[in-house]
Amino acid sequence: MSAVNEDISGRLVTGRHPADAPGEAEVLAALVARAASGEQAAWGELVGRYARRVYALAKSRLHDPDQAEEVAQSVFASVFQHVSSGRYAERGQFEPWLFRVTMNRVRDEVRRRSRRPGLTLVRESDALHEAPGESETDEIHRLRDAVASLGEADQEIIGLRHHAGLEFRAIAEMLGEPVGTLLARHHRALHKLRAILGSAASAAGARHE
Amino acid sequence: MSNHDKHHHEDMEMEHRLASLADRERSEPDAGFEARVEHAMRAEPFRRVPGRRPKKSTAWIPFVTAACVGIMGYIVWMPMMNRPVVKDTAPASVADAGLGAFDAELMLSSFDAMDTLVAEGEDVGESLEYLELQLELDGYESGSWLELGGAL
Protein backbone atom coordinates (compact mmCIF):
# COMPACT_ATOMS: atom_id res chain seq x y z
CA MET A 1 0.00 0.00 0.00
CA SER A 2 2.84 2.34 0.77
CA ALA A 3 4.09 1.89 -2.77
CA VAL A 4 0.75 2.92 -4.12
CA ASN A 5 0.67 5.90 -1.81
CA GLU A 6 4.10 6.96 -2.89
CA ASP A 7 3.21 6.45 -6.51
CA ILE A 8 -0.06 8.34 -6.32
CA SER A 9 1.36 10.98 -4.03
CA GLY A 10 3.88 11.79 -6.70
CA ARG A 11 1.10 12.44 -9.15
CA LEU A 12 -0.80 14.46 -6.58
CA VAL A 13 2.15 16.79 -6.16
CA THR A 14 2.95 17.14 -9.82
CA GLY A 15 -0.68 17.40 -10.90
CA ARG A 16 -2.11 16.06 -14.10
CA HIS A 17 -4.70 18.62 -15.08
CA PRO A 18 -4.53 22.37 -15.54
CA ALA A 19 -6.72 23.06 -12.54
CA ASP A 20 -4.21 21.31 -10.26
CA ALA A 21 -1.09 23.07 -11.48
CA PRO A 22 0.12 26.06 -9.43
CA GLY A 23 -1.82 29.13 -10.39
CA GLU A 24 -4.34 27.21 -12.42
CA ALA A 25 -6.77 27.07 -9.51
CA GLU A 26 -6.79 30.87 -9.51
CA VAL A 27 -7.23 30.92 -13.28
CA LEU A 28 -10.21 28.59 -13.01
CA ALA A 29 -11.71 30.65 -10.17
CA ALA A 30 -11.38 33.78 -12.29
CA LEU A 31 -12.95 31.98 -15.25
CA VAL A 32 -15.93 30.90 -13.14
CA ALA A 33 -16.27 34.45 -11.81
CA ARG A 34 -16.31 35.82 -15.36
CA ALA A 35 -18.92 33.24 -16.31
CA ALA A 36 -21.00 34.20 -13.28
CA SER A 37 -20.92 37.82 -14.43
CA GLY A 38 -22.49 36.69 -17.72
CA GLU A 39 -19.46 36.70 -20.01
CA GLN A 40 -20.27 34.45 -22.96
CA ALA A 41 -16.66 33.68 -23.80
CA ALA A 42 -16.05 32.42 -20.27
CA TRP A 43 -18.92 29.98 -20.62
CA GLY A 44 -17.54 28.82 -23.93
CA GLU A 45 -14.19 28.20 -22.29
CA LEU A 46 -15.74 26.27 -19.40
CA VAL A 47 -17.70 24.11 -21.82
CA GLY A 48 -14.54 23.56 -23.89
CA ARG A 49 -12.59 22.51 -20.80
CA TYR A 50 -15.08 20.19 -19.19
CA ALA A 51 -17.90 19.09 -21.51
CA ARG A 52 -16.03 16.16 -23.01
CA ARG A 53 -14.80 15.00 -19.61
CA VAL A 54 -18.37 15.10 -18.32
CA TYR A 55 -19.45 13.20 -21.41
CA ALA A 56 -16.72 10.57 -20.97
CA LEU A 57 -17.67 10.04 -17.32
CA ALA A 58 -21.34 9.64 -18.20
CA LYS A 59 -20.50 7.33 -21.09
CA SER A 60 -18.32 5.14 -18.85
CA ARG A 61 -21.33 4.47 -16.60
CA LEU A 62 -24.23 4.54 -19.04
CA HIS A 63 -22.54 2.89 -22.05
CA ASP A 64 -24.79 4.87 -24.33
CA PRO A 65 -23.41 7.82 -26.35
CA ASP A 66 -26.80 9.41 -26.83
CA GLN A 67 -27.66 9.37 -23.14
CA ALA A 68 -24.15 10.47 -22.21
CA GLU A 69 -24.58 13.58 -24.36
CA GLU A 70 -27.98 14.24 -22.85
CA VAL A 71 -26.46 14.02 -19.37
CA ALA A 72 -23.66 16.40 -20.40
CA GLN A 73 -26.18 18.92 -21.68
CA SER A 74 -28.36 18.72 -18.59
CA VAL A 75 -25.33 19.02 -16.29
CA PHE A 76 -24.19 22.22 -17.97
CA ALA A 77 -27.73 23.56 -17.97
CA SER A 78 -27.84 23.03 -14.21
CA VAL A 79 -24.37 24.54 -13.73
CA PHE A 80 -25.33 27.53 -15.85
CA GLN A 81 -28.46 28.18 -13.82
CA HIS A 82 -26.66 27.87 -10.48
CA VAL A 83 -23.68 30.00 -11.43
CA SER A 84 -25.69 32.66 -13.27
CA SER A 85 -28.18 33.04 -10.44
CA GLY A 86 -25.44 33.32 -7.83
CA ARG A 87 -26.48 30.11 -6.07
CA TYR A 88 -22.98 28.70 -6.62
CA ALA A 89 -20.34 30.40 -4.51
CA GLU A 90 -16.86 29.92 -5.93
CA ARG A 91 -14.53 28.56 -3.26
CA GLY A 92 -12.09 26.74 -5.49
CA GLN A 93 -14.40 23.72 -5.64
CA PHE A 94 -15.73 24.07 -9.14
CA GLU A 95 -14.38 20.77 -10.48
CA PRO A 96 -15.57 18.58 -7.60
CA TRP A 97 -18.95 20.32 -7.71
CA LEU A 98 -19.28 19.91 -11.49
CA PHE A 99 -18.52 16.20 -11.37
CA ARG A 100 -20.71 15.69 -8.30
CA VAL A 101 -23.59 17.10 -10.34
CA THR A 102 -22.58 14.75 -13.15
CA MET A 103 -22.50 11.71 -10.89
CA ASN A 104 -25.91 12.62 -9.48
CA ARG A 105 -27.33 12.84 -13.01
CA VAL A 106 -25.73 9.53 -13.92
CA ARG A 107 -27.13 7.86 -10.79
CA ASP A 108 -30.58 9.24 -11.60
CA GLU A 109 -30.30 7.76 -15.07
CA VAL A 110 -29.11 4.40 -13.73
CA ARG A 111 -32.05 4.35 -11.29
CA ARG A 112 -34.44 5.25 -14.07
CA ARG A 113 -33.08 2.40 -16.13
CA SER A 114 -33.33 -0.05 -13.26
CA ARG A 115 -37.04 0.70 -13.09
CA ARG A 116 -37.23 -0.34 -16.74
CA PRO A 117 -34.99 -3.40 -16.85
CA GLY A 118 -35.96 -4.30 -20.41
CA LEU A 119 -34.60 -0.98 -21.62
CA THR A 120 -31.40 -1.48 -19.63
CA LEU A 121 -30.72 -4.87 -21.10
CA VAL A 122 -31.36 -3.83 -24.66
CA ARG A 123 -29.37 -0.65 -24.54
CA GLU A 124 -26.43 -2.04 -22.61
CA SER A 125 -26.21 -5.11 -24.71
CA ASP A 126 -26.43 -3.01 -27.86
CA ALA A 127 -23.76 -0.65 -26.64
CA LEU A 128 -21.42 -3.16 -25.07
CA HIS A 129 -21.53 -5.92 -27.59
CA GLU A 130 -21.88 -4.05 -30.81
CA ALA A 131 -19.28 -5.01 -33.33
CA PRO A 132 -16.18 -2.84 -33.03
CA GLY A 133 -16.08 -0.11 -35.66
CA GLU A 134 -13.27 0.44 -38.07
CA SER A 135 -11.44 2.70 -35.65
CA GLU A 136 -12.34 0.67 -32.57
CA THR A 137 -9.50 -1.61 -31.65
CA ASP A 138 -10.21 -4.91 -29.99
CA GLU A 139 -8.17 -3.89 -26.99
CA ILE A 140 -10.26 -0.79 -26.34
CA HIS A 141 -13.40 -2.84 -26.83
CA ARG A 142 -12.26 -5.48 -24.32
CA LEU A 143 -11.18 -2.86 -21.80
CA ARG A 144 -14.51 -1.07 -22.06
CA ASP A 145 -16.36 -4.33 -21.45
CA ALA A 146 -14.06 -5.14 -18.52
CA VAL A 147 -14.71 -1.76 -16.87
CA ALA A 148 -18.44 -2.21 -17.40
CA SER A 149 -18.32 -5.58 -15.64
CA LEU A 150 -16.84 -4.06 -12.46
CA GLY A 151 -18.98 -3.29 -9.42
CA GLU A 152 -20.57 0.13 -9.04
CA ALA A 153 -17.98 1.49 -6.57
CA ASP A 154 -15.09 0.31 -8.75
CA GLN A 155 -16.64 1.78 -11.88
CA GLU A 156 -17.14 5.04 -10.01
CA ILE A 157 -13.52 5.39 -8.99
CA ILE A 158 -12.26 4.39 -12.46
CA GLY A 159 -14.67 6.80 -14.13
CA LEU A 160 -13.81 9.74 -11.88
CA ARG A 161 -10.08 9.12 -12.02
CA HIS A 162 -9.62 8.33 -15.71
CA HIS A 163 -12.67 9.39 -17.73
CA ALA A 164 -13.30 12.58 -15.78
CA GLY A 165 -9.56 13.03 -15.26
CA LEU A 166 -9.89 14.07 -11.61
CA GLU A 167 -7.06 13.93 -9.11
CA PHE A 168 -7.58 11.80 -6.02
CA ARG A 169 -7.66 14.93 -3.90
CA ALA A 170 -10.60 16.27 -5.92
CA ILE A 171 -12.33 12.89 -5.81
CA ALA A 172 -11.87 12.81 -2.03
CA GLU A 173 -13.45 16.26 -1.73
CA MET A 174 -16.24 15.21 -4.01
CA LEU A 175 -17.10 11.92 -2.32
CA GLY A 176 -16.21 13.01 1.20
CA GLU A 177 -13.87 10.06 1.71
CA PRO A 178 -10.22 9.95 2.75
CA VAL A 179 -7.66 9.93 -0.05
CA GLY A 180 -6.14 6.72 1.30
CA THR A 181 -9.44 4.88 1.04
CA LEU A 182 -9.82 6.00 -2.56
CA LEU A 183 -6.26 5.00 -3.42
CA ALA A 184 -6.88 1.52 -2.04
CA ARG A 185 -10.16 1.24 -3.91
CA HIS A 186 -8.52 2.36 -7.13
CA HIS A 187 -5.70 -0.15 -6.67
CA ARG A 188 -8.20 -2.97 -6.11
CA ALA A 189 -10.19 -1.87 -9.18
CA LEU A 190 -7.04 -2.02 -11.32
CA HIS A 191 -6.28 -5.47 -9.92
CA LYS A 192 -9.78 -6.67 -10.80
CA LEU A 193 -9.47 -5.24 -14.30
CA ARG A 194 -6.22 -7.13 -14.82
CA ALA A 195 -7.88 -10.31 -13.62
CA ILE A 196 -10.89 -9.84 -15.90
CA LEU A 197 -8.73 -9.06 -18.93
CA GLY A 198 -6.38 -11.93 -18.09
CA SER A 199 -9.19 -14.47 -17.86
CA ALA A 200 -10.74 -13.11 -21.06
CA ALA A 201 -7.39 -13.47 -22.85
CA SER A 202 -7.02 -17.03 -21.54
CA ALA A 203 -10.49 -17.91 -22.75
CA ALA A 204 -9.77 -16.40 -26.16
CA GLY A 205 -6.48 -18.33 -26.36
CA ALA A 206 -8.26 -21.57 -25.48
CA ARG A 207 -10.83 -20.94 -28.23
CA HIS A 208 -8.07 -20.39 -30.80
CA GLU A 209 -6.38 -23.64 -29.77
CA MET B 1 12.04 -7.57 -10.82
CA SER B 2 10.61 -7.60 -7.30
CA ASN B 3 6.97 -8.29 -6.57
CA HIS B 4 6.48 -4.65 -5.64
CA ASP B 5 8.02 -3.42 -8.88
CA LYS B 6 5.97 -5.89 -10.86
CA HIS B 7 2.70 -4.65 -9.32
CA HIS B 8 3.79 -1.07 -9.85
CA HIS B 9 4.56 -1.77 -13.49
CA GLU B 10 1.22 -3.55 -13.98
CA ASP B 11 -0.64 -0.67 -12.36
CA MET B 12 1.11 1.83 -14.60
CA GLU B 13 0.33 -0.23 -17.67
CA MET B 14 -3.33 -0.52 -16.75
CA GLU B 15 -3.55 3.21 -16.03
CA HIS B 16 -2.05 3.89 -19.43
CA ARG B 17 -4.65 1.68 -21.09
CA LEU B 18 -7.45 3.38 -19.17
CA ALA B 19 -6.10 6.77 -20.22
CA SER B 20 -6.29 5.62 -23.84
CA LEU B 21 -9.87 4.49 -23.32
CA ALA B 22 -10.76 7.82 -21.70
CA ASP B 23 -9.16 9.72 -24.59
CA ARG B 24 -11.17 7.63 -27.00
CA GLU B 25 -14.40 8.39 -25.13
CA ARG B 26 -13.66 12.11 -24.96
CA SER B 27 -12.94 12.33 -28.67
CA GLU B 28 -16.07 10.38 -29.57
CA PRO B 29 -18.52 13.32 -29.83
CA ASP B 30 -18.48 15.20 -33.10
CA ALA B 31 -17.29 18.77 -33.64
CA GLY B 32 -20.70 20.25 -32.89
CA PHE B 33 -20.83 18.74 -29.41
CA GLU B 34 -19.72 21.84 -27.51
CA ALA B 35 -22.10 24.06 -29.50
CA ARG B 36 -25.01 21.78 -28.65
CA VAL B 37 -24.05 21.79 -24.96
CA GLU B 38 -23.87 25.59 -24.94
CA HIS B 39 -27.19 25.86 -26.72
CA ALA B 40 -28.91 23.44 -24.34
CA MET B 41 -27.27 25.18 -21.40
CA ARG B 42 -29.00 28.45 -22.18
CA ALA B 43 -32.35 26.90 -23.03
CA GLU B 44 -34.96 27.80 -20.45
CA PRO B 45 -36.30 25.36 -19.41
CA PHE B 46 -33.73 22.75 -20.32
CA ARG B 47 -34.42 21.03 -23.62
CA ARG B 48 -32.10 18.50 -25.09
CA VAL B 49 -30.51 19.67 -28.35
CA PRO B 50 -30.55 16.75 -30.74
CA GLY B 51 -27.15 15.74 -32.01
CA ARG B 52 -25.92 13.44 -34.69
CA ARG B 53 -27.93 10.56 -33.29
CA PRO B 54 -31.51 11.58 -33.87
CA LYS B 55 -33.90 9.60 -31.77
CA LYS B 56 -36.38 7.42 -33.53
CA SER B 57 -39.74 9.06 -34.03
CA THR B 58 -42.42 8.22 -31.47
CA ALA B 59 -45.23 9.98 -33.34
CA TRP B 60 -46.79 6.64 -34.21
CA ILE B 61 -47.44 5.76 -30.57
CA PRO B 62 -50.74 7.72 -30.11
CA PHE B 63 -52.16 6.36 -33.37
CA VAL B 64 -51.26 2.78 -32.61
CA THR B 65 -52.63 3.18 -29.07
CA ALA B 66 -55.91 4.57 -30.40
CA ALA B 67 -56.16 1.72 -32.91
CA CYS B 68 -55.52 -0.86 -30.19
CA VAL B 69 -58.17 0.70 -27.96
CA GLY B 70 -60.65 0.64 -30.87
CA ILE B 71 -59.94 -3.02 -31.62
CA MET B 72 -60.24 -3.95 -27.96
CA GLY B 73 -63.51 -2.05 -27.72
CA TYR B 74 -64.83 -3.84 -30.79
CA ILE B 75 -63.84 -7.24 -29.41
CA VAL B 76 -65.39 -6.55 -25.99
CA TRP B 77 -68.56 -4.68 -27.00
CA MET B 78 -69.70 -6.43 -30.17
CA PRO B 79 -70.72 -9.68 -28.43
CA MET B 80 -72.60 -7.61 -25.88
CA MET B 81 -74.39 -5.66 -28.62
CA ASN B 82 -75.52 -8.89 -30.36
CA ARG B 83 -76.91 -10.45 -27.17
CA PRO B 84 -80.81 -10.41 -27.10
CA VAL B 85 -82.17 -7.69 -24.88
CA VAL B 86 -84.09 -9.04 -21.86
CA LYS B 87 -86.87 -6.80 -20.58
CA ASP B 88 -88.92 -6.99 -17.36
CA THR B 89 -86.20 -8.62 -15.43
CA ALA B 90 -88.10 -8.38 -12.13
CA PRO B 91 -90.69 -11.10 -12.89
CA ALA B 92 -87.94 -13.34 -14.19
CA SER B 93 -86.02 -12.91 -11.03
CA VAL B 94 -89.12 -13.57 -8.97
CA ALA B 95 -89.76 -16.70 -10.98
CA ASP B 96 -86.13 -17.67 -10.42
CA ALA B 97 -86.71 -17.28 -6.71
CA GLY B 98 -89.23 -20.17 -6.89
CA LEU B 99 -92.41 -18.19 -6.12
CA GLY B 100 -95.78 -19.13 -7.63
CA ALA B 101 -97.62 -17.06 -10.23
CA PHE B 102 -100.09 -15.79 -7.68
CA ASP B 103 -97.36 -14.77 -5.25
CA ALA B 104 -95.53 -13.04 -8.01
CA GLU B 105 -98.65 -11.23 -9.02
CA LEU B 106 -99.32 -10.31 -5.44
CA MET B 107 -95.84 -8.91 -4.99
CA LEU B 108 -96.14 -6.82 -8.10
CA SER B 109 -99.63 -5.54 -7.37
CA SER B 110 -100.35 -1.96 -6.67
CA PHE B 111 -101.54 -0.73 -3.32
CA ASP B 112 -105.11 -0.56 -4.67
CA ALA B 113 -104.99 -4.20 -5.65
CA MET B 114 -103.65 -5.04 -2.22
CA ASP B 115 -106.53 -3.17 -0.62
CA THR B 116 -109.01 -5.13 -2.73
CA LEU B 117 -107.48 -8.40 -1.67
CA VAL B 118 -107.59 -7.42 1.97
CA ALA B 119 -111.23 -6.28 1.64
CA GLU B 120 -112.17 -9.55 0.01
CA GLY B 121 -110.48 -11.36 2.82
CA GLU B 122 -112.65 -9.47 5.30
CA ASP B 123 -115.80 -10.45 3.33
CA VAL B 124 -114.78 -14.07 3.48
CA GLY B 125 -114.24 -13.73 7.20
CA GLU B 126 -117.70 -12.20 7.67
CA SER B 127 -119.21 -14.99 5.61
CA LEU B 128 -117.60 -17.60 7.80
CA GLU B 129 -118.84 -15.87 10.94
CA TYR B 130 -122.37 -15.78 9.46
CA LEU B 131 -122.20 -19.46 8.64
CA GLU B 132 -121.01 -20.25 12.13
CA LEU B 133 -123.89 -18.27 13.61
CA GLN B 134 -126.42 -20.09 11.45
CA LEU B 135 -125.09 -23.45 12.50
CA GLU B 136 -125.35 -22.51 16.15
CA LEU B 137 -128.90 -21.23 15.73
CA ASP B 138 -129.99 -24.37 13.95
CA GLY B 139 -128.35 -26.55 16.59
CA TYR B 140 -126.54 -28.68 14.19
CA GLU B 141 -123.70 -30.74 15.35
CA SER B 142 -121.82 -32.32 12.57
CA GLY B 143 -118.85 -34.60 12.68
CA SER B 144 -117.63 -33.92 9.19
CA TRP B 145 -117.62 -31.36 6.46
CA LEU B 146 -119.88 -33.70 4.43
CA GLU B 147 -122.59 -33.74 7.12
CA LEU B 148 -122.30 -30.00 7.51
CA GLY B 149 -122.79 -29.49 3.77
CA GLY B 150 -125.83 -31.77 3.77
CA ALA B 151 -127.33 -29.88 6.68
CA LEU B 152 -126.97 -26.53 4.94
Side-chain angles (χ1 to χ4, degrees), chain B residues 4-23:
Chain B
H4 164 264
D5 289 340
K6 185 183 171 202
H7 281 154
H8 174 72
H9 176 73
E10 285 174 345
D11 275 1
M12 292 299 289
E13 186 193 344
M14 186 56 69
E15 289 209 33
H16 179 72
R17 292 169 72 179
L18 285 168
S20 299
L21 173 63
D23 285 343

Side-chain angles (χ1 to χ4, degrees), chain A residues 127-144:
Chain A
L128 290 175
H129 302 295
E130 65 187 3
E134 289 179 5
S135 60
E136 178 100 328
T137 64
D138 286 347
E139 187 189 342
I140 291 287
H141 187 63
R142 279 196 299 271
L143 184 58
R144 189 180 282 151

Side-chain angles (χ1 to χ4, degrees), chain A residues 3-204:
Chain A
V4 176
N5 281 335
E6 284 166 18
D7 178 34
I8 303 298
S9 299
R11 283 201 296 274
L12 279 171
V13 171
T14 56
R16 204 170 72 148
H17 295 289
D20 297 302
E24 279 300 314
E26 287 78 15
V27 171
L28 178 59
L31 183 61
V32 173
R34 280 167 49 211
S37 69
E39 193 180 316
Q40 303 295 314
W43 277 112
E45 202 172 329
L46 279 176
V47 169
R49 274 189 182 218
Y50 292 109
R52 285 174 187 265
R53 286 166 65 182
V54 167
Y55 170 90
L57 176 60
K59 170 83 187 300
S60 75
R61 298 299 312 281
L62 299 173
H63 318 297
D64 184 327
D66 198 43
Q67 286 195 330
E69 179 164 341
E70 188 166 337
V71 166
Q73 290 185 10
S74 73
V75 164
F76 274 91
S78 181
V79 166
F80 181 78
Q81 285 168 8
H82 276 76
V83 173
S84 300
S85 63
R87 279 181 284 168
Y88 170 75
E90 171 59 30
R91 295 190 188 90
Q93 303 287 315
F94 182 77
E95 270 195 8
W97 175 65
L98 172 68
F99 287 105
R100 193 182 302 125
V101 172
T102 305
M103 288 305 293
N104 288 340
R105 288 282 191 284
V106 168
R107 287 190 191 114
D108 288 346
E109 188 61 34
V110 170
R111 269 197 294 273
R112 195 179 67 83
R113 280 183 176 191
S114 67
R115 287 197 291 269
R116 293 192 293 169
L119 177 69
T120 307
L121 287 173
V122 170
R123 290 209 166 166
E124 287 196 350
S125 62
D126 285 352
L128 290 175
H129 302 295
E130 65 187 3
E134 289 179 5
S135 60
E136 178 100 328
T137 64
D138 286 347
E139 187 189 342
I140 291 287
H141 187 63
R142 279 196 299 271
L143 184 58
R144 189 180 282 151
D145 280 358
V147 172
S149 67
L150 290 173
E152 191 173 340
D154 292 330
Q155 280 192 58
E156 187 177 69
I157 191 72
I158 293 291
L160 289 170
R161 171 70 179 146
H162 299 281
H163 293 79
L166 285 172
E167 287 296 331
F168 282 99
R169 196 170 40 209
I171 299 172
E173 286 169 6
M174 191 186 136
L175 299 179
E177 292 188 35
V179 173
T181 304
L182 297 174
L183 290 170
R185 192 193 296 172
H186 181 253
H187 181 66
R188 280 198 300 271
L190 293 182
H191 184 75
K192 286 178 191 171
L193 275 179
R194 275 200 304 275
I196 292 167
L197 290 169
S199 62
S202 302

